[in-house]
Amino acid sequence: KQEVTQIPAALSVPEGENLVLNCSFTDSAIYNLQWFRQDPGKGLTSLLLIQSSQREQTSGRLNASLDKSSGRSTLYIAASQPGDSATYLCATRGRDDKIIFGKGTRLHILP
Amino acid sequence: DTGVSQDPRHKITKRGQNVTFRCDPISEHNRLYWYRQTLGQGPEFLTYFQNEAQLEKSRLLSDRFSAERPKGSFSTLEIQRTEQGDSAMYLCASSLTTGFLGPNTGELFFGEGSRLTVL
């Protein structure tokens, strides 16, 4: 059974710093991994989707990497801004087509 | 394309009442998912549809819960005889898959959610 873990549960960093969010999963037989952002009381906004054959995806200041063999993905945020404050979730889509989410990392960017 | 729409955004009800949520997916998307999310947790899978066919239901979905997607477009999630433990955010998502029961590598898009409060 796939388990997705995100550590730390919460993170505070000063504005302007680069930061890395971590996502680990137990079953490497995945079709893809997707990163989302969630603001309080809102739905999830898709940030990046990495297919199993890919190693990384980039969008603006965001870069996501995928290492299936080690069961890890990272989301790199460059030059953080207060508007980046949100909860970031990762989710894997397995061979059984189940999509399993981590509990998320609550990010707070200090002005 | 207006994205995934959910209605209502917030529902307050008394224990024992029935509630229904509606989801309108992105128009060309053939897969539709329902998730439930409680505070501090990631979304938990409830059920999903391929067009009008309901392909899987989670054990979380008790017999008080029923979901439909009658014409393969919008979907409804009904909760009968609500309990306080049903209080949560109910999220709908959609994606495009290229083959029936085949691998779905499509990106998942979520609506804004429907928050249920059971008093």
Side-chain angles (χ1 to χ4, degrees), chain A residues 31 95-97, chain B residues 31 48 50 53 55 97-104:
Chain A
Y31 278 130
R95 296 297 174 91
D96 56 3
D97 214 31
Chain B
R31 285 215 174 165
Y48 83 99
Q50 169 89 6
L55 296 187
T97 184
T98 54
F100 185 73
L101 294 181
N104 184 358

Side-chain angles (χ1 to χ4, degrees), chain B residues 3-16:
Chain B
V4 179
S5 299
Q6 292 190 245
D7 183 69
R9 292 291 312 281
H10 196 176
K11 178 72 175 179
I12 301 173
T13 191
K14 292 182 179 180
R15 188 177 56 183

Side-chain angles (χ1 to χ4, degrees), chain B residues 5-92:
Chain B
S5 299
Q6 292 190 245
D7 183 69
R9 292 291 312 281
H10 196 176
K11 178 72 175 179
I12 301 173
T13 191
K14 292 182 179 180
R15 188 177 56 183
Q17 298 295 306
N18 300 341
V19 297
T20 299
F21 301 115
R22 174 179 170 127
C23 172
D24 287 87
I26 293 172
S27 57
E28 68 269 23
H29 284 185
N30 50 8
R31 285 215 174 165
L32 186 149
Y33 302 79
W34 285 100
Y35 284 84
R36 180 170 68 186
Q37 187 180 28
T38 54
L39 196 63
Q41 302 295 313
E44 295 177 298
F45 169 78
L46 293 179
T47 188
Y48 83 99
F49 294 83
Q50 169 89 6
N51 299 315
E52 67 276 8
Q54 188 173 18
L55 296 187
E56 186 172 347
K57 293 191 294 185
S58 165
R59 289 170 298 179
L60 294 175
L61 216 63
S62 76
D63 56 6
R64 296 184 298 105
F65 288 70
S66 63
E68 293 182 339
R69 194 182 183 197
K71 297 182 180 180
S73 55
F74 73 92
S75 176
T76 58
L77 176 68
E78 181 183 16
I79 309 174
Q80 296 181 325
R81 305 181 304 281
T82 53
E83 302 172 355
Q84 288 183 325
D86 297 332
S87 295
M89 175 79 88
Y90 290 84
L91 295 163
C92 176

